[in-house]
């Protein structure tokens, strides 16, 4: 594609050098520039892309998109823009032939439920004969391809390249998680969405967004800006959870018609006569397409909301009600989301990604609804992230668990012990019994808590004290198969650790 054509796409406020040249690739990382490339000089929190323009030129960049043209070396072509990230998103879409123009694209945002909802929407579309690709927290996948996801939503140049590859391979639709970071950084501004889904909003990522209003504002962009109708896609829909107070606000400002979902009688998509059990969820779905009974193997009230979100997407796409029902009734298994770890001890072991206060409370409420024995929760909080949620999560775990085992998560560059101290600050005011790990070697009777810094040892402790009929919840890491200590990733998978721990022999005298 020629640089002059890309210039028309990004509408620069100034240009320099020869624009009549072919562009062979796009990059915002000077180390990845190839001969004939166009380099985007992005300003970040820690670095400024303008500092790497010379490096990009030396690696073969023939032009650069900048916010400050005074930093461009003499003789290099440049385009001046007010927002380099927005320019990059639009340029990337054009460079890769606008891959989202001709297929249905569903974007899902919110604090919790995004990943499970992508799996459900994918299943519904499959029942309707639409082979969809999925981009999300766990992986980017289509057909036999399943690539671990380094980011929930890739940078725009990578995102548009991936989308082009998926469409060329036969993807007939795309279901994607859209993170608040991606919306704030305009990574998805080059995508043309048909449906936007808002799941909920609770405290998360405040290390980046600083406050809830800023966090909400980033999420809202999908609905207030990116769902605005255009000639390419004149019919777009916002599927919004109106049981969430932020959803109510969003419904009043959406640029697209709103298809509300929830449990209230005013929701256009809702569930009635719902029954929760260890076998899943059953009830009736009420939609603008009609009413139908349904059953799902997913557990708990929060998964009911995920089901309703997916149903709303199916309705918005105009899919048959039968396909929608069959999709949610299928064997939808989501890695690290209340994922079972089988054992022969009679203990229900569940691994879940819950890493916010709201998510942890939702999961523990679900577990409490189906529990016949005690609830043992193993959890921690990540380092270099929002510190304010640590005591909140501690209080929630202490309140809903018979035994809360506080441990490390991904401590990153923080001291794991110091993180645990902050978590315990939310548990201790509950007045529960504080156990020492040695004291727990023979089990426990009174409701209480303990702290074990090693996550492996914490999981082993849970396995030692659990009895038949108990539920052990390993929360926070879910599908992740690593633990970040310092700046190094170490292999660590809660599912593997739990399977190993429950294969160990019981201490003498127990059984």
């Amino acid at each position: 594609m020629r640089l002059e054509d890309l210039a028309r796409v990004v509408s620069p406020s100034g240009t320099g050098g020869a624009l009549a040249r072919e562009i062979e690739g796009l990059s915002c990382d000077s180390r990845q520039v190839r001969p004939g490339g166009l380099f985007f000089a992005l300003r970040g929190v820690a670095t400024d892309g303008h500092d790497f323009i010379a490096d990009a030129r030396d690696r073969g960049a023939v032009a650069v998109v900048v916010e400050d043209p005074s930093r461009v070396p003499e003789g290099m072509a440049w385009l001046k823009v007010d927002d380099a990230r927005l320019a990059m998103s639009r340029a990337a879409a054009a460079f890769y032939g606008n891959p989202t123009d001709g297929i249905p694209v569903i974007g899902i945002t919110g604090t919790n439920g995004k990943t499970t909802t992508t799996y459900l929407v994918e299943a519904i579309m499959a029942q309707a004969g639409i082979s969809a690709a999925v981009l999300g927290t766990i992986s980017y996948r289509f057909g036999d391809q399943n690539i671990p996801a380094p980011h929930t939503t890739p940078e725009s140049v990578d995102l548009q390249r991936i989308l082009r590859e998926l469409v060329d391979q036969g993807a007939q639709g795309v279901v994607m998680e859209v993170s608040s970071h991606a919306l704030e950084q305009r990574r998805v501004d080059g995508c043309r969405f048909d449906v936007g889904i808002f799941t909920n909003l609770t405290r998360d990522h405040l290390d980046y967004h600083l406050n809830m209003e800023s966090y909400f504002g980033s999420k809202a962009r999908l609905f207030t800006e990116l769902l605005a109708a255009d000639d390419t896609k004149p019919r777009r829909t916002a599927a919004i959870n109106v049981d969430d107070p932020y959803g109510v606000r969003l419904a009043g400002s959406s640029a697209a018609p709103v298809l509300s979902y929830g449990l209230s009688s005013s929701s256009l998509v809702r569930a009635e006569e719902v029954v929760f059990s260890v076998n899943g969820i059953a009830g009736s779905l009420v939609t603008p397409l009609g009413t139908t009974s349904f059953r799902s193997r997913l557990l708990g009230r929060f998964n009911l909301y995920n089901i309703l979100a997916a149903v709303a997407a199916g309705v918005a796409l105009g899919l048959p009600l039968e396909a929608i029902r069959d999709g949610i009734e299928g064997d939808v298994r989501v890695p690290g989301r209340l994922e079972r770890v089988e054992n022969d001890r009679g203990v229900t072991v569940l691994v879940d990604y819950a890493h916010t206060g709201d998510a942890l409370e939702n999961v523990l409420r679900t577990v409490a609804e189906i529990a016949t024995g005690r609830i043992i929760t193993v959890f921690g909080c990540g380092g270099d992230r929002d510190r304010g949620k640590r005591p909140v999560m501690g209080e929630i775990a202490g309140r809903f668990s018979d035994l809360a085992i506080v441990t490390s998560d991904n401590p990153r560059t923080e001291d794991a012990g110091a993180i645990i101290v902050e978590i315990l600050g939310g548990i201790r005011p509950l007045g529960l019994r504080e156990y020492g790990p040695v004291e727990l070697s023979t089990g426990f009777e009174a409701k209480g808590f303990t702290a074990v810094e090693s996550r492996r040892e914490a999981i082993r402790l849970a396995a030692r004290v659990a009895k038949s009929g108990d539920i052990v919840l390993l929360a926070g890491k879910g599908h992740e198969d690593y633990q970040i200590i310092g700046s190094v990733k170490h292999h660590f998978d809660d599912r593997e650790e739990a399977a190993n721990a429950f294969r160990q022999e019981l201490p003498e005298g127990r059984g």
Side-chain angles (χ1 to χ4, degrees):
M1 191 171 188
R2 294 175 70 81
L3 180 59
E4 56 192 343
D5 295 325
L6 287 173
R8 283 190 284 271
V9 171
V10 303
S11 301
S13 57
T15 64
L19 304 188
R21 60 181 69 203
E22 288 294 323
I23 298 298
E24 304 295 335
L26 311 179
S27 179
C28 60
D29 184 337
S30 65
R31 296 166 297 183
Q32 297 176 358
V33 169
R34 298 291 180 267
L38 173 63
F39 176 65
F40 292 83
L42 307 181
R43 287 192 166 105
V45 176
T47 60
D48 184 346
H50 292 78
D51 295 336
F52 301 93
I53 295 174
D55 182 54
R57 177 201 57 194
D58 294 344
R59 293 175 186 267
V62 295
V64 60
V65 175
V66 295
E67 295 174 7
D68 180 4
S70 69
R71 307 282 299 279
V72 181
E74 187 175 351
M76 192 176 190
W78 52 267
L79 307 177
K80 180 186 181 302
V81 296
D82 294 329
D83 188 333
R85 284 192 171 277
L86 175 60
M88 183 170 70
S89 193
R90 291 174 175 171
F95 185 82
Y96 289 105
N98 295 303
T100 59
D101 276 11
I103 58 172
V105 179
I106 298 88
I108 305 169
T109 197
T111 305
N112 302 311
K114 297 186 296 295
T115 298
T116 298
T117 304
T118 64
Y119 277 73
L120 289 164
V121 174
E122 176 191 24
I124 288 171
M125 294 177 76
Q127 288 294 330
I130 302 171
S131 182
V134 177
L135 282 71
T137 302
I138 296 176
S139 63
Y140 310 147
R141 66 184 192 281
F142 175 66
D144 295 332
Q145 291 188 79
N146 198 318
I147 304 168
H151 302 287
T152 297
T153 313
E155 191 55 85
S156 59
V157 290
D158 299 316
L159 174 61
Q160 295 297 333
R161 172 182 53 78
I162 292 168
L163 289 169
R164 169 47 58 197
E165 291 171 355
L166 292 170
V167 171
D168 289 349
Q169 291 165 14
Q172 299 169 320
V174 172
V175 186
M176 60 187 296
E177 296 183 49
V178 184
S179 69
S180 59
H181 293 72
L183 287 161
E184 180 73 19
Q185 297 172 7
R186 299 183 177 271
R187 298 180 202 167
V188 294
D189 279 49
C191 295
R192 294 197 169 102
F193 294 96
D194 294 77
V195 181
I197 298 176
F198 177 80
T199 60
N200 50 60
L201 196 77
T202 60
R203 183 184 182 114
D204 197 16
H205 301 305
L206 296 194
D207 54 302
Y208 179 80
H209 295 288
L210 302 182
N211 58 64
M212 288 297 293
E213 280 304 303
S214 174
Y215 182 33
F216 174 63
S218 295
K219 294 286 191 185
R221 285 199 64 244
L222 176 60
F223 304 88
T224 59
E225 298 178 38
L226 303 185
L227 279 182
D230 59 19
D231 292 340
T232 305
K233 293 188 175 180
R235 182 177 177 273
R236 295 175 170 183
T237 305
I240 297 177
N241 173 11
V242 292
D243 287 354
D244 184 278
Y246 285 100
V248 174
R249 288 177 57 185
L250 194 58
S253 60
S254 173
V258 174
L259 181 62
S260 60
Y261 73 88
L263 298 181
S264 65
S265 59
S266 61
S267 296
L268 295 174
V269 174
R270 60 187 184 273
E272 298 179 345
E273 301 173 343
V274 178
V275 176
F276 301 99
S277 73
V278 292
N279 297 315
I281 309 168
S284 295
L285 288 174
V286 180
T287 81
L289 301 177
T291 300
T292 183
S293 61
F294 79 99
R295 291 183 178 275
S296 170
R297 294 183 61 180
L298 297 177
L299 300 174
R301 186 173 298 272
F302 69 96
N303 270 321
L304 176 59
Y305 277 99
N306 296 334
I307 289 168
L308 292 174
V311 170
V315 172
L317 291 173
L319 304 182
L321 184 57
E322 295 76 13
I324 295 172
R325 181 200 60 216
D326 292 347
I328 64 174
E329 288 192 336
D331 188 16
V332 177
R333 297 171 185 256
V334 187
R337 271 59 175 183
L338 285 181
E339 183 176 357
R340 292 179 183 266
V341 178
E342 301 300 332
N343 64 87
D344 58 6
R345 294 259 306 276
V347 179
T348 300
V349 182
L350 301 171
V351 174
D352 195 87
Y353 190 52
H355 60 283
T356 67
D358 180 68
L360 184 60
E361 181 167 347
N362 284 335
V363 169
L364 283 169
R365 284 186 181 277
T366 293
V367 169
E369 287 177 347
I370 64 175
T372 57
R374 303 172 302 176
I375 299 171
I376 301 168
T377 303
V378 179
F379 78 107
C381 291
D384 302 331
R385 298 293 187 268
D386 178 18
R387 293 175 59 184
K389 70 180 181 181
R390 295 170 186 174
V392 173
M393 292 182 67
E395 189 274 336
I396 290 168
R399 182 155 45 98
F400 286 97
S401 308
D402 293 284
L403 178 66
I405 303 176
V406 182
T407 187
S408 62
D409 188 287
N410 291 319
R412 300 184 177 87
T413 64
E414 285 194 66
D415 178 71
I419 297 173
I420 289 172
V421 168
E422 293 188 354
I423 297 171
L424 293 177
I427 300 180
R428 288 198 170 103
L430 297 174
L432 306 177
R433 179 169 175 177
E434 184 167 1
Y435 290 98
V438 175
E439 186 181 4
L440 286 168
S441 62
T442 56
F444 72 98
E445 298 300 330
K447 183 178 173 75
F449 67 96
T450 190
V452 180
E453 185 171 316
S454 164
R455 194 173 182 92
R456 176 172 290 115
E457 292 304 319
I459 294 171
R460 289 177 177 174
L461 176 61
R464 285 198 298 272
V465 301
K467 297 178 180 179
S468 178
D470 288 348
I471 295 178
V472 173
L473 173 67
L474 309 180
K477 293 183 59 59
H479 62 281
E480 293 179 352
D481 61 358
Y482 58 83
Q483 189 172 31
I484 305 174
I485 301 173
S487 57
V488 179
K489 275 188 177 182
H490 304 267
H491 179 76
F492 192 98
D493 190 317
D494 278 0
R495 297 162 294 190
E496 293 177 5
E497 296 296 331
N500 291 335
F502 276 85
R503 279 197 294 266
Q504 302 298 318
E505 291 185 12
L506 293 171
E508 186 176 352
R510 292 195 62 212

